[in-house]
Amino acid sequence: MMLEPKIRLLSRHDEYRECERLQEAVWGGLSVSSEVMVVTQKYGGVVLGAWLGKKMAGFIYAFLGRRGRMLIHWSHMMAVAPAYRDRGLGFKMKLAHRRLALDRGIRSIGWTFDPLQSRNAALNIRRLGARVEDYVVDCYGHFPSIIERGLPSDRFLVSWPIASAAVIKRLREGPPARQVLPPACINKTALNSCGLLENGPIHYTLTAPHLLLEIPLHTDIMREQNLALARGWRLKTRRIFQHYFSAGYRVKDFIPPGGTSNGRCFYVLERRG
Ligand SMILES: CC(C)(COP(=O)(O)OP(=O)(O)OC[C@H]1O[C@@H](n2cnc3c(N)ncnc32)[C@H](O)[C@@H]1OP(=O)(O)O)[C@@H](O)C(=O)NCCC(=O)NCCS
């Protein structure tokens, strides 16, 4: 049984150092140093840690930013150490960040995530109710992260309107019960002889109100075993999202493995207007 995590702001220098070590363990390098974390914490941002006993199992780093006329928190990094994933820690840290931000009068938190990371999609879209606002090609240029080495760093840009009725409802009621999957599927897929998901025909002319787009369950494993296939997924899904976003579709939901999706996972796109 996992201990109940203690989630709070970092305050001591050894805690910032521990956060540096966690960044290195997760991404293979340091993105934000202790010095920058200390000043971020002092001047409007948030550096939150989640402790299990004495061990820092996860953290969030967010700085104060401005979007138009609105002050926001930009959550540049969040990580949970691999051994502690899939136990709701990421979700609990996001809730703690939301409470802190609301207390400071912040009403929106933004961040980016890789659309091919299905765990992140499940957490961000389905559990938290964050909204995908844009698709950014190769967002960070050459990105040294060990998670996606060899792939262009494409990202969804999301905003989480933390005081909105939609987010309050999503957090209070949880994700919608498993719905019937929309019949219109953008990509037809199959597992290859190594058990890796491959794309077959892709449809760019669909006009149904809701469309499904399947993505791999474990892009990290695919990237390690077959980089060319993972790059193919990156380029094909980039084209699909760009095409359907410019045709008026938006990401409506994410269907994780389990339940009706039978071990597969899908984005649901919805046509607007
Ligand atoms: C993203 C990250 C922080 C999530 O942390 P976490 O503690 O595992 O998150 P949670 O347990 O709260 O939520 C994960 C959800 O994904 C689901 N999930 C797990 N594996 C999945 C998969 N392969 N595909 C789809 N969903 C999956 C889990 O069931 C859970 O959903 P649920 O709560 O409805 O059951 C963590 O995976 C991580 O550190 N990743 C590497 C760094 C990173 O990508 N950071 C974010 C961008 S900066």
Side-chain angles (χ1 to χ4, degrees):
M1 202 185 78
M2 194 167 83
L3 296 167
E4 192 51 36
K6 295 220 169 7
I7 300 177
R8 60 169 173 80
L9 295 171
L10 275 62
S11 61
R12 296 196 319 261
H13 290 301
D14 61 303
E15 294 173 347
Y16 290 109
R17 296 275 176 234
E18 201 176 346
C19 183
E20 286 185 342
R21 286 193 288 276
L22 191 45
Q23 291 178 43
E24 276 159 3
V26 171
W27 288 286
L30 185 63
S31 179
V32 179
S33 65
S34 283
E35 300 96 276
V36 179
M37 288 193 269
V38 168
V39 290
T40 302
Q41 192 84 293
K42 263 191 189 158
Y43 297 103
V46 152
V47 192
L48 264 181
W51 279 266
L52 289 167
K54 290 196 162 126
K55 178 153 182 59
M56 186 189 287
F59 77 97
I60 284 180
Y61 169 85
F63 54 83
L64 187 63
R66 187 157 52 193
R67 204 140 183 227
R69 296 162 69 87
M70 186 167 61
L71 284 181
I72 64 163
H73 271 176
W74 187 262
S75 179
H76 182 57
M77 283 187 296
M78 167 164 88
V80 170
Y84 302 105
R85 287 181 192 161
D86 297 336
R87 305 174 193 191
L89 207 49
F91 181 66
K92 285 180 181 158
M93 288 198 299
K94 285 288 191 196
L95 294 187
H97 184 188
R98 174 177 179 269
R99 279 191 299 274
L100 273 166
L102 287 172
D103 285 350
R104 297 179 189 185
I106 301 286
R107 299 170 73 81
S108 177
I109 301 175
W111 64 89
T112 63
F113 76 93
D114 179 346
L116 287 177
Q117 289 289 338
S118 57
R119 181 190 278 111
N120 301 46
L123 174 60
N124 294 331
I125 310 291
R126 184 166 172 274
R127 290 299 305 279
L128 298 172
R131 291 197 304 240
V132 175
E133 305 225 309
D134 206 355
Y135 187 96
V136 186
V137 172
D138 205 19
C139 189
Y140 303 112
H142 172 69
F143 196 60
S145 159
I146 51 176
I147 298 178
E148 58 177 346
R149 190 171 288 155
L151 298 185
S153 58
D154 288 21
R155 292 288 184 274
F156 274 155
L157 195 155
V158 301
S159 79
W160 192 33
I162 53 178
S164 69
V167 166
I168 292 168
K169 182 167 187 280
R170 177 61 58 102
L171 296 179
R172 196 179 47 226
E173 295 176 8
R178 239 341 44 86
Q179 65 273 49
V180 179
L181 300 186
C185 211
I186 296 170
N187 57 346
K188 190 165 167 41
T189 62
L191 294 177
N192 69 15
S193 55
C194 301
L196 298 173
L197 195 71
E198 286 189 352
N199 264 310
I202 295 176
H203 302 288
Y204 289 100
T205 52
L206 301 175
T207 54
H210 293 98
L211 305 176
L212 279 180
L213 171 65
E214 185 170 9
I215 63 163
L217 263 186
H218 300 291
T219 300
D220 301 348
I221 294 173
M222 177 187 287
R223 191 190 52 77
E224 277 165 20
Q225 295 183 356
N226 188 337
L227 180 59
L229 182 60
R231 284 181 70 85
W233 270 98
R234 168 67 85 224
L235 299 179
K236 284 172 185 159
T237 49
R238 175 192 291 174
R239 187 166 167 224
I240 290 167
F241 284 121
Q242 287 182 321
H243 170 79
Y244 280 103
F245 284 3
S246 65
Y249 284 86
R250 289 292 169 262
V251 172
K252 162 84 174 154
D253 203 355
F254 184 77
I255 299 175
T260 44
S261 68
N262 200 15
R264 300 158 69 190
C265 57
F266 303 86
Y267 284 101
V268 180
L269 306 189
E270 180 180 59
R271 200 182 61 222
R272 293 282 161 87

